Amino acid sequence: MSTSKTSNLHGNAIRAFAALMLALLLAFGWQAAKAQEPLQPEDLTAPAPAVTPSAALENVPAEQAADVADPDAVVEPAGSYDPMAPTAGKGMPVDGRIDVQEQFSDDGRFAQGFHIALVWVMAIISAFVLALLIWVVVRYNRRANPTPSKTTHNTMLEVVWTLLPVLILVAIAIPSISLLARQYETPPEDAITVKATGYQWYWGYTYPDNGGFEIISNMMDEAEALANGEPPQLAVDNRLVLPVGVPIRLQTTGADVIHSFAIPSLWFKIDAVPGRLNERLLQIEEPGVYYGQCSELCGARHAYMPIAIEALPMEQWREWVLAQGGTFGEEEDAAPELAPVQEPESAEPGAPGAGAAPTEDTAPTA
């Protein structure tokens, strides 16, 4: 075979090999590019399963649920949380009410009963003194008694009007001291610890027993509060969420000046003092939303740092903690998707989160 024929054969072989490699590259490149594109409905050729796993259905949009083989299997994502709607007249002030708010804690009910008893004691004493005054005016006026009595002492009368008030004060002191002792009862060892920090001018709630995450709570504008069915100037963007029926060790401190954490419907009030950690036992008996305010004059925006407690059953509260990225001591698992860490915000004027300046939407218009 001549040299020219050999060169032609070699050239043809090289060209054939190059063409084959180019075809392979084009084929694999097209498949790779196709893999990067999102699947279209027409790309699905395999039949849908009879029952779609619930883990996969968590991410199915509601408008596409009808296309799923088993629509009833669509579930809410794990750790979902919807704020509780408040009950009108429960845990909040009521227009025209002249008594204290209805109580939803054991100490609160004891104090409310004691308060009502004291009102009746005061009413009876006032009526008795008024009756004595009227009797003296009628019986011993100048016209009815022209010759005044010269009696200067009456031993029995003096003993009665001295002893009777003492006995009344002793009767009042016994339940009063009992209430004082109940309010400062030491929380049990297994109580859930929550710390409320007063900033200028908002609250921060830390959960030391559940990973130490902090919730920052600012007042909600009036329009948004009314849209949510909440009382203006008492609603907040992030509530203090607590479980019902269990003892809570509520600790307070101040980051800048003295604040005061007060919830009237739970008969709970404790100062938040910078450099000091105060604590009290709190136990809420019913689920609900309970409103309060800072009760210590703490600066220019003192009126704009309300408190809202949302009390949930224990299982729902545990789900809420996990949804916030919290943990429990006996569990290794954390929430599948951790919430962003909220750093304590500055109390310097104008700093982010330091409590926005009051606007025309902040205060009620009515």
Side-chain angles (χ1 to χ4, degrees):
M1 184 177 292
S2 64
T3 304
S4 61
K5 289 183 177 180
T6 303
S7 299
N8 288 336
L9 289 174
H10 287 172
N12 292 335
I14 291 172
R15 282 192 292 273
F17 180 76
L20 178 61
M21 293 299 296
L22 182 60
L24 290 174
L25 287 173
L26 288 174
F28 282 107
W30 180 84
Q31 291 291 341
K34 189 69 174 176
Q36 299 299 321
E37 298 178 0
L39 289 176
Q40 303 299 323
E42 58 269 15
D43 296 329
L44 301 175
T45 57
V51 178
T52 307
S54 60
L57 289 171
E58 288 185 358
N59 298 320
V60 176
E63 61 271 13
Q64 298 179 12
D67 298 330
V68 182
D70 184 11
D72 293 335
V74 178
V75 296
E76 291 292 328
S80 61
Y81 161 71
D82 292 322
M84 179 186 294
T87 302
K90 178 179 180 179
M92 65 180 74
V94 178
D95 288 342
R97 189 181 180 97
I98 60 174
D99 198 1
V100 297
Q101 293 185 26
E102 185 181 356
Q103 296 300 305
F104 296 93
S105 68
D106 189 42
D107 287 349
R109 285 201 315 275
F110 181 91
Q112 187 175 24
F114 182 41
H115 160 73
I116 293 173
L118 285 180
V119 170
W120 279 108
V121 169
M122 290 187 292
I124 292 171
I125 292 175
S126 299
F128 177 70
V129 172
L130 178 62
L132 282 179
L133 182 61
I134 294 173
W135 181 69
V136 168
V137 169
V138 173
R139 175 67 180 82
Y140 296 102
N141 63 70
R142 179 179 296 180
R143 182 168 39 188
N145 190 32
T147 304
S149 171
K150 299 188 181 297
T151 302
T152 57
H153 291 84
N154 187 312
T155 304
M156 179 60 67
L157 186 61
E158 291 179 357
V159 169
V160 170
W161 72 34
T162 301
L163 267 182
L164 189 59
V166 170
L167 294 175
I168 293 174
L169 291 177
V170 170
I172 293 175
I174 294 173
S176 180
I177 294 174
S178 299
L179 177 60
L180 192 65
R182 291 167 66 110
Q183 291 178 154
Y184 288 95
E185 182 180 349
T186 303
E189 186 177 351
D190 60 348
I192 297 172
T193 302
V194 178
K195 184 172 75 171
T197 303
Y199 299 95
Q200 287 183 319
W201 286 268
Y202 58 93
W203 290 96
Y205 305 121
T206 310
Y207 293 75
D209 292 347
N210 306 107
F213 66 93
E214 183 176 26
I215 299 296
I216 300 300
S217 179
N218 280 283
M219 189 176 76
M220 191 182 292
D221 278 346
E222 180 192 11
E224 188 177 355
L226 292 174
N228 293 343
E230 300 189 63
Q233 289 194 305
L234 291 176
V236 299
D237 53 359
N238 295 306
R239 298 168 179 166
L240 171 59
V241 182
L242 299 174
V244 298
V246 296
I248 298 163
R249 180 185 293 105
L250 187 58
Q251 301 176 335
T252 59
T253 189
D256 29 56
V257 297
I258 298 177
H259 301 273
S260 186
F261 187 93
I263 305 290
S265 60
L266 300 176
W267 203 268
F268 191 91
K269 183 177 184 292
I270 185 170
D271 286 345
V273 183
R276 176 176 181 143
L277 195 65
N278 293 330
E279 70 175 36
R280 268 191 62 188
L281 173 64
L282 173 64
Q283 187 161 332
I284 307 172
E285 296 187 341
E286 294 183 16
V289 183
Y290 305 95
Y291 297 95
Q293 290 177 305
C294 174
S295 297
E296 185 73 36
L297 188 59
C298 58
R301 301 178 197 168
H302 158 70
Y304 299 93
M305 53 182 301
I307 303 162
I309 292 180
E310 180 173 340
L312 297 174
M314 177 58 75
E315 288 304 316
Q316 294 183 29
W317 178 76
R318 291 172 69 91
E319 292 175 3
W320 176 85
V321 170
L322 293 176
Q324 305 307 310
T327 58
F328 294 94
E330 72 276 6
E331 297 178 358
E332 297 290 336
D333 300 334
E337 183 177 352
L338 298 181
V341 177
Q342 301 187 57
E343 296 294 336
E345 302 173 54
S346 173
E348 293 297 323
T359 66
E360 60 182 7
D361 293 330
T362 301
T365 56

